[in-house]
Amino acid sequence: RLAFLRFEQDAACFEGSGTNLVIYFLKQKGGPPLANTSPHWEPLSSKVSVLVSSTHRFNTDTVLLAWFSAPKRGEICADFGTGCGAIPLIWCAKAQSGEGFMPKKIYGVEIQSDACELASQSVERNQLKDTICIVHHDIKALPYLHPPRGLDLVACNPPYK
């Protein structure tokens, strides 16, 4: 299954067929600067929080993608360009609250070292090291991220300006 978020200037709808899902949403225009620019914790649920910064944070499109691409029980998943790790953490928070299923393993792949540090601290704080593995690597060169049966789900929420 693949889940991608696609922004269109004049579109505001969700599309999905079979195991593929494409979400269309209105492109966000700028917005106010964050009041707190130092890394700080944002709650995702009553039990799970994510460490964000002014550079690496999440927003509505992140939550929508995580919600609509939620893994099935026991799946092996990846979030390419995971940033602060919000999507894997939302998947786990959803499962912990009984609204979804806990995947067998989630690989959060990120090329930026500062984002990897935020995501790794979040995984540690939320005691999810057995489920979420943050991988500091370029997705174009991931020879070892292919379990014998492959990945069941790949999510990707690329940055946009």
Side-chain angles (χ1 to χ4, degrees), residues 30-40 42 51-59 84 118:
L34 292 176
N36 185 352
T37 57
S38 62
H40 62 281
E42 290 285 340
L51 185 60
V52 298
S53 69
S54 59
T55 307
H56 303 288
R57 57 190 183 274
F58 68 98
N59 56 25
C84 63
L118 293 173

Side-chain angles (χ1 to χ4, degrees), residues 88 92 102-107 123 127-133:
C92 291
M102 190 63 78
K104 181 177 182 181
K105 193 70 170 179
I106 303 170
Y107 297 97
V123 169
Q127 300 176 359
L128 291 167
K129 288 172 58 173
D130 291 339
T131 304
I132 301 173
C133 175

Side-chain angles (χ1 to χ4, degrees), residues 24-156:
Y24 292 86
F25 204 73
L26 290 174
K27 188 172 184 178
Q28 294 182 342
K29 303 282 187 190
L34 292 176
N36 185 352
T37 57
S38 62
H40 62 281
W41 293 98
E42 290 285 340
L44 296 173
S45 72
S46 61
K47 297 179 182 177
V48 177
S49 58
V50 60
L51 185 60
V52 298
S53 69
S54 59
T55 307
H56 303 288
R57 57 190 183 274
F58 68 98
N59 56 25
T60 304
D61 59 296
T62 310
V63 175
L64 287 171
L65 179 58
W67 189 263
F68 286 103
S69 66
K72 296 177 183 170
R73 184 183 330 273
E75 286 190 326
I76 299 173
C77 311
D79 177 26
F80 291 163
T82 198
C84 63
I87 289 176
L89 291 165
I90 291 169
W91 287 341
C92 291
K94 189 175 177 183
Q96 289 176 349
S97 70
E99 296 179 31
F101 301 104
M102 190 63 78
K104 181 177 182 181
K105 193 70 170 179
I106 303 170
Y107 297 97
V109 183
E110 178 58 54
I111 195 169
Q112 298 180 41
S113 58
D114 53 340
C116 283
E117 183 59 32
L118 293 173
S120 295
Q121 288 183 46
S122 294
V123 169
E124 178 82 28
R125 178 177 177 159
N126 292 291
Q127 300 176 359
L128 291 167
K129 288 172 58 173
D130 291 339
T131 304
I132 301 173
C133 175
I134 302 300
V135 180
H136 183 206
H137 213 288
D138 187 339
I139 62 172
K140 295 184 283 185
L142 284 173
Y144 61 90
L145 192 59
H146 302 287
R149 64 183 187 109
L151 296 167
D152 299 303
L153 170 66
V154 175
C156 181

Side-chain angles (χ1 to χ4, degrees), residues 6-22:
R6 183 179 303 158
F7 287 89
E8 301 290 336
Q9 191 134 16
D10 298 313
C13 63
F14 302 109
E15 287 185 11
S17 63
T19 58
N20 295 326
L21 173 69
V22 179

